[in-house]
Amino acid sequence: MAKSRTRGPRPTYSRVVSGASGRVLVVDDNKVIRQLIRVNLELEGFEVVTANDGAECLDVVHHVLPDVITLDVVMPRLDGFATAAKLRADPRTRHLPVAMVSACTQYEAEVGIAAGVDAFLAKPFEPAELVRIVRRLIERRDRRERKETPAGRGRG
């Protein structure tokens, strides 16, 4: 019988994709779901960084500087709702778009909205819908940033 090794949780950073459409921080405690989301986004030109749970997300978000965060709801240490609330409470991450990827019951949607979640994607999801939501959130963020800092407007 072959021996197997178990490895402790560790950040699973993706390769850097040149000309990437944006950077996405994918947060899910299920390795298969993380990989599924990562592969689908990378195929569409996004750079993807993953975290195993909300606590790890909060540890890496300031180093990763993502354009969008996808969050699962049910995770150990810190669930998706608490993670979203902490992201919204921090001035450095307050405006980061957050998409909740979950079973998305009515209760989850209500709690997610209260926590500041921008979009919801029900599991199981279509990869094209995942990509569409991430692109829409990045475009919305870009429009908001352009409004906040109009080009060509200087003092004097």
Side-chain angles (χ1 to χ4, degrees):
M1 198 180 280
K3 290 184 179 181
S4 65
R5 269 191 269 201
T6 48
R7 298 179 191 172
R10 60 187 156 96
T12 52
Y13 299 96
S14 77
R15 67 188 186 282
V16 175
V17 180
S18 64
S21 302
R23 181 176 294 149
V24 182
L25 176 55
V26 174
V27 186
D28 199 305
D29 62 322
N30 183 312
K31 183 179 179 179
V32 173
I33 300 294
R34 270 195 324 268
Q35 289 293 93
L36 176 68
I37 294 172
R38 183 181 65 79
V39 166
N40 280 286
L41 291 174
E42 284 181 346
L43 285 171
E44 293 297 323
F46 293 97
E47 180 183 348
V48 179
V49 180
T50 62
N52 296 312
D53 59 33
E56 186 178 352
C57 169
L58 296 176
D59 287 344
V60 303
V61 70
H62 301 294
H63 302 291
V64 171
L65 304 173
D67 297 302
V68 173
I69 298 174
T70 68
L71 286 176
D72 184 22
V73 172
V74 180
M75 296 183 288
R77 297 198 298 166
L78 195 62
D79 70 21
F81 300 131
T83 303
K86 288 181 180 284
L87 289 166
R88 292 298 178 244
D90 184 336
R92 298 170 295 173
T93 57
R94 177 174 292 135
H95 298 296
L96 270 177
V98 175
M100 192 70 72
V101 181
S102 172
C104 292
T105 64
Q106 182 62 35
Y107 169 77
E108 288 177 337
E110 290 170 5
V111 174
I113 289 168
V117 173
D118 299 292
F120 297 88
L121 180 62
K123 289 180 183 175
F125 58 85
E126 289 292 325
E129 181 68 6
L130 167 72
V131 170
R132 188 184 70 72
I133 286 173
V134 168
R135 279 198 176 121
R136 187 185 79 219
L137 291 174
I138 289 175
E139 289 167 3
R140 185 187 308 162
R141 187 215 54 191
D142 289 347
R143 280 192 306 271
R144 185 182 66 239
E145 286 179 358
R146 281 193 300 271
K147 285 180 183 176
E148 290 173 1
T149 56
R153 292 207 178 162
R155 293 184 194 186

